[in-house]
Amino acid sequence: MKKEIILICIIIVLISIILFTGVIDSIYLNFNKENNNLVSKNGFLKVEGKDLTNKRGDTIQLKGLSSHGIQWYSDMINYKNLKHLRDEWGINVFRIALYTLEGGYIYKPNLKEKVIEIIDIAIELNLYVIVDWHILSDNNPNLYKEQAKDFFNEISLKYKNIPNVIYEICNEPNSGVSWDYDIKPYAEEIIPLIRNNSKKSLIIVGTQNWSQDVDIAADNPLDFNNIVYACHFYSGDHDEELRKKIDYALNKNISIFISEWGVSKPDGDGGIHIEESNEWINFLDERNISWINWSFSDKKESSAILSYYNNLEHYNIDDNLSPAGEYIKTIINTKKTNNKK
Ligand code: DCB
């Protein structure tokens, strides 16, 4: 008799264990499903006045990381790490910086294959992904306009009607290049070409003065829908004065997107500036402005998120964060990420 009771007790305990772990399992699956569904649920992003919204018109704020130049720092951009950044950091977007010069696409057109590889990973992970035509020392986007046209034509045809893919057509025009006479006419050629292939795609347009003079763009905006204007800042130098330009632009009802910012000085180095970064993040969160941090790389400079990367199979990026990386991880994680919408 005693033996039977003990046996029954053991069976009950076993059944409870199975049931209980099953419940845990399904909670876990549900949580993961939420994250896995990001782009399927939100679809093509749309611009409504100054707001970025999902396909149903709910506002959405993207937060994520930018690569460094993929001609130099691409080892760390793989499925495992992007999945980790999505699931553990809560990023919902990744930016691919395709430099034109400095050993970039103009010299190495096969970098396009790398871009495609990363886009495909992002699509598999249900993340938004930005294809950034990273002009910099070529300060005028018209310098390599023909190459830009071919590139964007090809990519937007390949990813025709895929909502994950966002196009950033000129990173940072600079050195006296003007919005009215250089950048706007360039955009007026590139945008129709992308939209002809993929009519709902969101497009980010760089602005004059290293993508800072969004006030000038706001005074003479593009005549297309679903356009966001890039504003870039580095907390080591940029402050209230630049935030005022953003508010000016928002008051003119154009949409601003921080497609690149860093905790450092504008050269990517020079220490991390946490206090000013906090000012910026509060400002952006209050206005639901999307942001992308520079950079997901292990370059020895303050803005890089990784301190060291050794490319081992079992490498864990969280064990190798720089001070910038530690900071960025907390600010992506702790604020509303809108992944739920
Ligand atoms: C931007 C660029 C980006 C650059 C970062 C940080 O440049 F879009 O490519 O990244 O901001 O400077 C840096 C890397 C460095 C690298 C350098 C050249 O972090 O490792 O050596 O690119 O490839 C800005 C942004 C703002 C300003 C100036 C620059 N500004 N800039 O306000 O004056 O000189 O590159």
Side-chain angles (χ1 to χ4, degrees), residues 68 72 99 102 134 136 171-172 210 212 234 238 260 266-268 294 299 301 303:
H68 201 294
W72 301 306
Y99 273 66
E102 300 189 53
H134 202 84
L136 190 62
N171 168 51
E172 291 184 357
W210 282 285
Q212 288 168 31
Y234 281 81
H238 305 127
E260 187 186 300
D267 65 357
W294 180 267
K299 181 158 183 175
E301 61 179 14
S303 56

Side-chain angles (χ1 to χ4, degrees), residues 219-267:
D219 285 338
N220 182 14
L222 287 155
D223 195 13
F224 295 95
N225 61 13
N226 289 336
I227 300 294
V228 288
Y229 296 81
C231 187
H232 292 179
F233 69 88
Y234 281 81
S235 306
D237 249 17
H238 305 127
D239 53 20
E240 198 55 36
E241 201 183 321
L242 184 53
R243 291 193 285 271
K244 279 193 183 131
K245 290 187 184 190
I246 294 179
D247 272 337
Y248 178 92
L250 294 176
N251 281 332
K252 297 243 162 168
N253 219 27
I254 69 166
S255 188
I256 300 297
F257 195 107
I258 310 291
S259 51
E260 187 186 300
W261 77 274
V263 295
S264 64
K265 291 276 186 188
D267 65 357

